[in-house]
Amino acid sequence: MLLVIASALPALTITAAVVSDVFYGSSWLGADPIKEGEHLLGEWTLRALFGTLLITPLRYHSGWNWLAKHRRTLGLFAFAYVVLHFLTWLLLDAQVWVSEYVGWADVWKDITKRPYITVGFLAMLLMVPLALTSTKKAIARMGKRWRPLHRLIYPIALLGVLHYILSVKKDLTEPLLYLGVLSALLLWRVWDARRRADARV
């Protein structure tokens, strides 16, 4: 329950701040609340994704096997954050449904013509089957096919960081920091795979 509250709190706070700034004239998120809200929701998507990737190394080095049951919670929160990130862009930034001058053709043009949006949209689409197959029934029904599907989390995390890098025009410090953390997590996976292979010899 504590993890659920901690994971949901940023989403509730950011969403409330965006709504307050855009519709009620407050200034919680600065001069451009829509962009700042998008940015914060995107960052929390990456943090939740990294949290799911961090669980296995933490279990290995600490012996805290109880962490495994929290992987699905973090994964679902990552999906919830990316959906909120997308909806903020779609409704408040692209303004489809809000502006009579913006239609789906304009949205699709943005998705296909602007590389950082293309990459981010692809990452979100890849997260859909992972979210839909995260239940115990789906795991049981898919059997051995479940694990290969959920390895999509690695390309999803890479696409997420690439989306962040491509979306930043000036200071790349923060996106490169995320790239560094992701690289460390992926290198640990490579080391673990080799360790397992050596153990089987």
Side-chain angles (χ1 to χ4, degrees):
M1 183 56 73
L2 187 61
L3 178 63
V4 172
I5 294 172
S7 300
L9 195 58
L12 295 172
T13 305
I14 296 164
T15 303
V18 170
V19 171
S20 175
D21 285 7
V22 172
F23 297 104
Y24 300 103
S26 57
S27 56
W28 298 104
L29 297 176
D32 193 346
I34 295 173
K35 282 293 181 189
E36 183 63 15
E38 278 182 54
H39 170 75
L40 291 171
L41 290 167
E43 278 201 323
W44 278 100
T45 302
L46 288 175
R47 289 169 188 167
L49 277 174
F50 288 6
T52 63
L53 292 173
L54 188 59
I55 282 179
T56 299
L58 277 178
R59 285 179 62 199
Y60 176 78
H61 291 290
S62 68
W64 297 342
N65 290 322
W66 53 269
L67 287 170
K69 65 182 180 183
H70 297 304
R71 183 183 287 117
R72 180 172 59 180
T73 302
L74 287 171
L76 288 174
F77 267 106
F79 183 67
Y81 272 102
V82 80
V83 169
L84 287 172
H85 177 66
F86 176 71
L87 288 177
T88 303
W89 172 76
L90 183 69
L91 299 177
L92 299 180
D93 195 349
Q95 295 202 343
V96 71
W97 289 329
V98 177
S99 170
E100 60 182 307
Y101 303 108
V102 179
W104 287 107
D106 301 297
V107 172
W108 185 246
K109 185 179 178 181
D110 264 359
I111 290 173
T112 54
K113 298 294 183 183
R114 301 169 71 183
Y116 85 94
I117 298 179
T118 306
V119 169
F121 188 67
L122 178 60
M124 186 185 72
L125 289 183
L126 290 175
M127 293 175 73
V128 173
L130 273 61
L132 293 177
T133 58
S134 62
T135 64
K136 290 182 180 178
K137 284 185 178 179
I139 295 170
R141 188 167 57 246
M142 293 185 66
K144 292 182 179 179
R145 294 173 296 163
W146 187 86
R147 190 176 295 276
L149 175 66
H150 279 254
R151 286 188 180 132
L152 281 175
I153 192 171
Y154 303 117
I156 288 169
L158 280 169
L159 287 170
V161 172
L162 179 60
H163 167 71
Y164 192 3
I165 291 171
L166 292 174
S167 68
V168 173
K169 296 176 181 176
K170 293 181 180 177
D171 188 359
L172 284 171
T173 303
E174 278 194 55
L176 290 179
L177 181 62
Y178 278 86
L179 179 62
V181 173
L182 178 60
S183 299
L185 289 169
L186 294 180
L187 284 173
W188 188 92
R189 290 283 177 165
V190 172
W191 171 81
D192 186 53
R194 289 182 176 176
R195 179 184 64 81
R196 291 171 183 270
D198 291 343
R200 288 195 292 269
V201 174

